[in-house]
Amino acid sequence: MGKGSDKKTEEQPPAYDAAIAKSDVVIPVDGDDKKKIAEEEEFDPWNVPELKDDTVPWSELTTCGKVERVVLWFLKPVLLLGLLYMFICSLDFLSSAFRLLGGKAAGELFAQNELLRNPVCGLMIGVLVTVLVQSSSTSTSIVVSMVGAGILEVEQSIYIVMGANIGTSVTNTIVSLGHSGDKNEFRRAFAGATIHDMFNWLCVIILLPLEAASHYLFRLSSVIVNSFEFSNVGEIKLLKVITEPFTKLIVEIDKGVITDIAQNEEGAAEQSLLKRYCKTGPLVMVNTTVEQVNFFSNGANNWTITENVTTSEWKHKCQYLFAQVNLWNDTIVGVILLVAALLILCICLACIVKLLHSILKGALAKVIKKAVHAELPTKVGKYLTGYLIIILGAGMTFLVQSSSIFTSALTPLIAIGVVNLKRAYPLTLGANIGTTTTAILAALASSGDGLVRSLQLALCHFFFNVSGIILWYPIPPLRNVPIGLAKKLGNTTAKYRWFAGVYLILMFFLFPAAIFGLSVAGWQVLVGVGVPVLVLALVVIVINIIQTKRPNWLPKKLRTWDFLPLGLHSLEPYDRILTGCCKKKGAKGEDDGEKIEVDNPGFVEEQNMEITQL
């Protein structure tokens, strides 16, 4: 009886004790290989990971070991600075490569004055041009110079600057791809990069219609510009003072050619973007042939005679690397430079991440994390901390004179967990403010009437970013919108690695090009296609929110998207096509062995289930 009773008891499913429900995890165990599996805690990939200190204590080191550690303490920071220097230089080379490959096309886009009168078209031109030249500083500086020359009006240029804000985030999105080898690092890196995209797109969605209807940016900047007197300050360089001596040994780009193309200067399209003549170098005789028109009159008749006039001038020939190869055109140099820049960028990024992992250990890691995530005392201080971080981000961006460089350098820190996403968000907002100083300095380099118009546009850029911060930062629920969208993209990319490339091509090339094409076709076509798509997108977004928050409000069929074909609500079919492989049976078994939620608190139906208390 006793044995039978015991056997019967053993065959019963294990009871589920509600008292320990919160600390128990139900884990299925394969019948052929029963093990006790303890799941220590649920892993949150968005939490800043603890960087483990596996170094040998100082007291246990030998004399040689102590000497080696001291030497490494000095060498690692020096090596890190060197890698950061090369990383920044590689971004400069990447920008030069894109200018050589797409700079003339960018100039031709800016030359479409009639199209720029359409706000949506101007926005997309700003996105495409900034992506092509890989620098919002370059695109905004070109626009500022065109406004200063009177070629563009301030009102229509505002939308181009909005587009430049979006296009500048392509660089750190490319940098995040360097972390694709580690799932959770890639998740955090991609989210940290795309939080910039999400903020910029959300700003444009709200502020572009508002500006088109009220012209508040134009009017506010007009009041400020007309209240002060400004003088020419010339060009100001900060970080470039350090990087230019090296980058100019490799390549130099004549930005004036892009500006000339945008201004429809005759013969500008045939010129090379590679600078041929510099301020220093060996002197060479340069013959220039121009058409000269002579006017004649005898009182009764007037006539003209056109003749070619050749002038000779001594100029300094550039001595950078690619200037020595006159047979290579802009495209060949651009491709070579692009490959080299990406190679240097990836190598530097991998070495920086490894070195940061090595440096940020033990007490040093705790000190750095505490400093990065520190908050001011009192409730008011905690509230103001984010705004101080925004100011810090603006100051750092001003020092490096590029939001792309600052956010690209921030991306690996987010990936390895030194900076969390909530702290990276205000730093990114500060970068948006800091990058406006480039346009302001470019405007102050103008003179005469062009100074006022250029400065007005630069101030419009500044107030656009300030308006975006006012919209999407002070109120916590709104602050969480771009962060939540970035996390969604990060999770998707961690699951489907190919999604990052699709996102990059879609958001920075295909989507802006499609909207630009519809704008060229006319506002009727844009409205006819865009409004139904926009309405459909809004309906889907609203239903998704209700499905998450209040599913009972929806009919049973709309509580999930399962009634649609799988390809319309999941990336799984595309993943199978792109990866070209299916899950193995063993892998499937592992997937089936994930934690199962218990709906019935009374018992668990399955004899191969064990309850492991944490």
Side-chain angles (χ1 to χ4, degrees), residues 176-228:
S176 70
L177 300 180
H179 296 274
S180 57
D182 184 283
K183 181 178 180 179
N184 288 310
E185 280 192 11
F186 194 26
R187 185 200 312 270
R188 291 189 290 266
F190 196 76
T194 54
I195 198 172
H196 200 182
D197 307 347
M198 297 301 101
F199 171 76
N200 288 330
W201 278 110
L202 288 170
C203 289
V204 165
I205 290 170
I206 301 297
L207 297 179
L208 186 143
L210 182 62
E211 173 62 21
S214 64
H215 301 288
Y216 85 99
L217 290 174
F218 175 76
R219 292 175 180 176
L220 177 61
S221 59
S222 295
V223 171
I224 294 174
V225 168
N226 294 331
S227 302
F228 297 94

Side-chain angles (χ1 to χ4, degrees), residues 557-578:
K557 195 170 186 179
L558 281 178
R559 291 178 186 177
T560 67
W561 296 110
D562 292 342
F563 65 92
L564 293 173
L566 187 61
L568 293 180
H569 64 90
S570 174
L571 295 175
E572 192 64 36
Y574 310 107
D575 185 59
R576 287 197 297 265
I577 294 171
L578 291 172

Side-chain angles (χ1 to χ4, degrees), residues 262-340:
Q263 296 176 356
N264 285 316
E265 294 287 344
E266 186 178 353
E270 285 75 34
Q271 295 181 24
S272 172
L273 289 173
L274 291 169
K275 188 177 286 188
R276 299 298 180 189
Y277 305 104
C278 301
K279 294 181 180 180
T280 59
L283 286 171
V284 293
M285 179 70 72
V286 180
N287 296 322
T288 306
T289 302
V290 295
E291 286 189 353
Q292 182 175 323
V293 180
N294 299 314
F295 295 88
F296 297 93
S297 174
N298 59 5
N301 298 311
N302 299 322
W303 68 93
T304 61
I305 298 177
T306 303
E307 59 181 351
N308 293 328
V309 178
T310 301
T311 58
S312 298
E313 183 181 0
W314 289 97
K315 292 185 178 181
H316 296 279
K317 186 178 180 181
C318 294
Q319 292 296 293
Y320 59 86
L321 180 62
F322 286 106
Q324 310 303 317
V325 189
N326 294 324
L327 298 178
W328 290 358
N329 58 26
D330 290 359
T331 303
I332 295 175
V333 175
V335 170
I336 295 173
L337 200 59
L338 178 63
V339 173

Side-chain angles (χ1 to χ4, degrees), residues 26 39 90 138 146 163 187-188 194 278 285 296 473 475 512:
V26 180
E39 187 176 358
S90 70
T138 299
M146 293 177 69
R187 185 200 312 270
R188 291 189 290 266
T194 54
C278 301
M285 179 70 72
F296 297 93
Y473 190 76
I475 304 173

Side-chain angles (χ1 to χ4, degrees), residues 505-560:
I505 295 171
L506 183 65
M507 292 301 292
F508 293 106
F509 293 97
L510 296 184
F511 179 69
I515 300 298
F516 176 71
L518 292 173
S519 302
V520 171
W523 68 267
Q524 298 91 341
V525 176
L526 180 63
V527 171
V529 176
V531 170
V533 172
L534 187 60
V535 170
L536 178 62
L538 289 174
V539 170
V540 171
I541 291 171
V542 170
I543 293 176
N544 274 327
I545 294 173
I546 297 175
Q547 284 176 346
T548 305
K549 304 293 184 182
R550 295 288 187 273
N552 293 333
W553 292 2
L554 296 171
K556 285 187 177 181
K557 195 170 186 179
L558 281 178
R559 291 178 186 177
T560 67

Side-chain angles (χ1 to χ4, degrees), residues 349-381:
L349 185 62
C351 293
I352 287 171
V353 171
K354 293 290 184 183
L355 199 56
L356 285 174
H357 273 299
S358 174
I359 294 174
L360 299 177
K361 289 182 178 180
L364 180 59
K366 292 179 180 179
V367 170
I368 292 176
K369 286 185 180 181
K370 188 175 181 180
V372 170
H373 299 101
E375 293 184 344
L376 296 175
T378 73
K379 290 184 178 179
V380 176

